[in-house]
Structures are given as C-alpha cells and as structure tokens.
Amino acid sequence: MHGGGILGPERVLWYRDASPQSFYPLAGKMVPWFSCLAAALGLAGVYVAYFVAPGDPQQGDLYRIAFMHVPAGLMSIFIFLMMAFWSAMGLIRNGRIAGMMATALAPTGAMFTFLALWTGALWAKPTLGTWWMWDARLASKLLLLFLYIAFMALQAAIEDARRADRAGAMVVLAGVMNVPIIYFSVQWWNTLHEDALDNLGGPAAMPEPVLWGLVLIVLAFWMYSLAVSLSRVRCVILERERHAEWVAREIRRQG
Amino acid sequence: MIWNSWGEFANMGGYALYVWGSCFVALGAMGAEVVLLIFRRRNILDHLGRFVGMKSRAGAEPSAPERGSNPGALPQRKASARR
C-alpha cells in the first residue's frame, strides 16, 4: 500500500515494520535534500514576494506580511494534522517510530502557530485598529498553540517514552477537532479575520506574483518543517534508544 | 525591480515596523529552532559518548540490542534531560 507519496517519511513505514535503527540513517539522508529545497524555494519565494509582487492598492506594502502569515498559519494546522496521523498510527500499530515522529513535529508546529499569531497581530494593528480580538479564528488558533504546549509539557513530564507517546496522542487526537474549526471559522462566524480576507480578495483576484510568492513560501516552509522534524526525530531516536548496541556504534563513529 | 531605492524597500511604504517586525521574528524563530536542534544533537552525542566511554573502560560487554524504549537507570548519573 502506498502511504501518500507527498508526505515523505510515511512512505517508508508501509513497506515493513521499520525500526528506529533503520529509520535513523534514512532520515539522515533526507534532511540535506529537504534543507536544500527549503533554501531554494525560500529564496525564490522571498524574491517574488518582496521584489516582484506589486504593492496592494488598499494596504500598500503592509500586505507583504501575508507572505509569512499565511504559510505559518497553514503549516501550524498541517503539522498538527500530521501529529494526529502519527499519534493514531502509534496507537493502532504500536510501533516506536510513530510516537517519535509526533514528538519531533511538535516544536516546529508550535513555532509556526506562534508566528501566525504574531504576524497576524502586526498585520491587524494598522489595518483593523487592534492587536487582538476574541473572535473565532484567533481564539481557535490560540487554542492550537495551547494544545501544542500541552503536548510538549505532558511528554516532558512523563519519563517512560511509551506512556509519554500515548498521553501526547490523547491530547492531539482530542484537539484535532479544533483544526476544522480554525479553518472554517471565517465562513461559519462573523469574524475580524473575515473582514481582513475580504480586503485582500481570493486567489482569483490577487495578482499572479502574489499567488506565486505565497505558493513558493508555503512550499519552502513545508520543506523546512520536514528537514527540521526529521533532524529532530534522529535526536529523539538517539535519546530513546541509547541503550542499544547500534547507538553505541553510531556514537563511536561520530566521536 | 519594484522599488526605486533601498531606502524605499526598507521603509515598506511606511509600514516598516510591522513588515520587518514580522520578518525578523520569522527568521529569528526558524534560526533559533535550527540552532537549538544543533545544540541538542551535540549534547546527546557528548553525553552518550561519555557513557559509551565509561562502558568500554569498565570492560563491559556491549549490551545486546534491546527494544530500548524504557530508559531504565543510568549508572550514577543525575536524571539526564530527555529533551
């Protein structure tokens, strides 16, 4: 069964019950590729966003915050969905890697959620007159940040890795219902965020370079997330499997 | 090139504070994440390197491959940070 070719590491696990020992070097090989892709897409995206895309008739150059705000917001949701996937996999198949991937993704997701909130506030102040408002989109996004933090805090508090993974999985799977709320909140409720979107127009209305800038930077953030979380999962593997012989060999090889 | 000068670019149509405030935090956050990850990896290799060194100096047989997910007790170490 082909486990979703676009997602990266998922592909591996469908073919065999992969062990941390076999996943460790595989992840290591993928990191440089994703890093280079992230850098290339990021540079291209920044160039298009800041040197090609024209100013907005209403908001001038302020709208360029969108090139950080939108990708960060999308990644914060996407990463949480990936954590939900890995958490479910960990519970169903009881393998070790699934839990490790969920653990490895969390800090990156939290970072992007914070970034979305921060850039959103900076964008809102001059246009909508306020740094913050308790509307549906903002509140549910803040809740997402709290869920990430709760996940990480819970895992840090539990010594046994398996139990930590299970506890984290509970948080993520309970919290995943927040994701459609975040996404559809601007349609379901009358929100501050909705007014902002109206000002900017949809993909059909925006100039081509703006669309391209957004696409490139979203892809760059995605490649970055893959590179960073695969790097981090290698750290998690070393930490959790530190009593294994292959880890000792790896350490001796490194040092 | 849409900007007439670098000064205009820096000014972002008067919104410099907001646009660059976002940019620097974004780059800072991602840079910090990468740096912290590098430190984390280095710490692990240091700690485990000493542990491996201890074991081999003590002449201990390398342990058989274990399922390894239960950390167990390490000899005479303070509870090492798992993160």
Side-chain angles (χ1 to χ4, degrees):
Chain A
M1 182 192 214
H2 190 59
I6 56 166
L7 297 174
E10 291 77 1
R11 170 185 291 173
V12 173
L13 297 189
W14 287 110
Y15 293 128
R16 57 176 183 272
D17 268 319
S19 66
Q21 182 175 357
S22 53
F23 190 60
Y24 180 84
L26 187 68
K29 289 203 193 79
M30 290 196 267
V31 167
W33 287 102
F34 289 130
S35 305
C36 289
L37 278 170
L41 288 164
L43 284 170
V46 165
Y47 175 71
V48 171
Y50 289 90
F51 295 96
V52 178
D56 179 68
Q58 281 176 311
Q59 295 185 29
D61 294 306
L62 179 70
Y63 90 100
R64 296 184 198 273
I65 293 183
F67 296 113
M68 291 163 278
H69 179 72
V70 170
L74 283 174
M75 287 316 303
S76 75
I77 297 180
F78 180 63
I79 289 176
F80 201 78
L81 289 174
M82 296 286 26
M83 284 171 66
F85 169 80
W86 285 117
S87 294
M89 287 286 287
L91 290 175
I92 294 168
R93 296 183 102 208
N94 208 32
R96 282 170 289 164
I97 294 182
M100 293 175 180
M101 278 305 300
T103 301
L105 284 164
T108 306
M111 185 272 290
F112 280 129
T113 311
F114 163 75
L115 198 59
L117 290 167
W118 175 270
T119 54
L122 283 172
W123 195 357
K125 179 62 178 166
T127 49
L128 302 165
T130 178
W131 297 107
W132 182 260
M133 187 194 219
W134 289 103
D135 79 355
R137 168 60 68 94
L138 273 63
S140 50
K141 201 69 170 197
L142 187 63
L143 178 61
L144 185 67
L145 182 61
F146 290 159
L147 284 167
Y148 273 115
I149 293 173
F151 176 91
M152 292 190 287
L154 196 56
Q155 293 219 317
I158 298 176
E159 254 311 305
D160 178 57
R162 294 300 199 115
R163 284 181 49 225
D165 287 346
R166 272 196 290 275
M170 294 300 140
V171 172
V172 171
L173 292 172
V176 79
M177 283 172 265
N178 187 31
V179 169
I181 292 177
I182 296 174
Y183 193 77
F184 291 110
S185 58
V186 288
Q187 294 174 27
W188 293 343
W189 293 288
N190 211 6
T191 62
L192 186 75
H193 204 270
E194 183 187 12
D195 298 331
L197 284 179
D198 285 339
N199 288 339
L200 211 49
M206 57 177 80
E208 249 190 55
V210 174
L211 187 60
W212 272 112
L214 281 173
V215 166
L216 285 168
I217 297 188
V218 167
L219 290 174
F221 276 21
W222 182 19
M223 294 298 112
Y224 165 88
S225 303
L226 280 167
V228 166
S229 37
L230 286 171
S231 239
R232 190 176 288 118
V233 83
R234 279 162 57 89
C235 289
V236 172
I237 290 175
L238 288 179
E239 286 161 359
R240 293 190 183 185
E241 304 286 304
R242 61 180 173 271
H243 296 292
E245 167 59 20
W246 73 268
V247 173
R249 276 202 303 271
E250 174 68 20
I251 303 297
R252 278 191 282 262
R253 218 173 51 82
Q254 291 284 340
Chain B
M1 188 76 158
I2 51 176
W3 309 100
N4 291 326
S5 71
W6 284 111
E8 267 189 34
F9 176 71
N11 195 34
M12 281 288 160
Y15 295 112
L17 175 71
Y18 305 99
V19 178
W20 294 122
S22 301
C23 252
F24 285 134
V25 167
L27 290 172
M30 289 188 270
E33 185 172 27
V34 171
V35 166
L36 286 174
L37 206 47
I38 293 173
F39 280 156
R40 181 172 176 173
R41 181 174 170 80
R42 212 170 281 171
N43 274 335
I44 297 169
L45 293 178
D46 279 346
H47 280 144
L48 293 186
R50 268 180 262 140
F51 179 54
V52 165
M54 279 164 64
K55 282 177 78 175
S56 59
R57 274 198 300 280
E61 282 287 305
S63 56
E66 303 171 35
R67 305 214 35 240
S69 57
N70 190 343
L74 292 176
Q76 276 146 349
R77 290 168 74 86
K78 291 201 287 279
S80 49
R82 292 188 64 242
R83 261 147 202 90

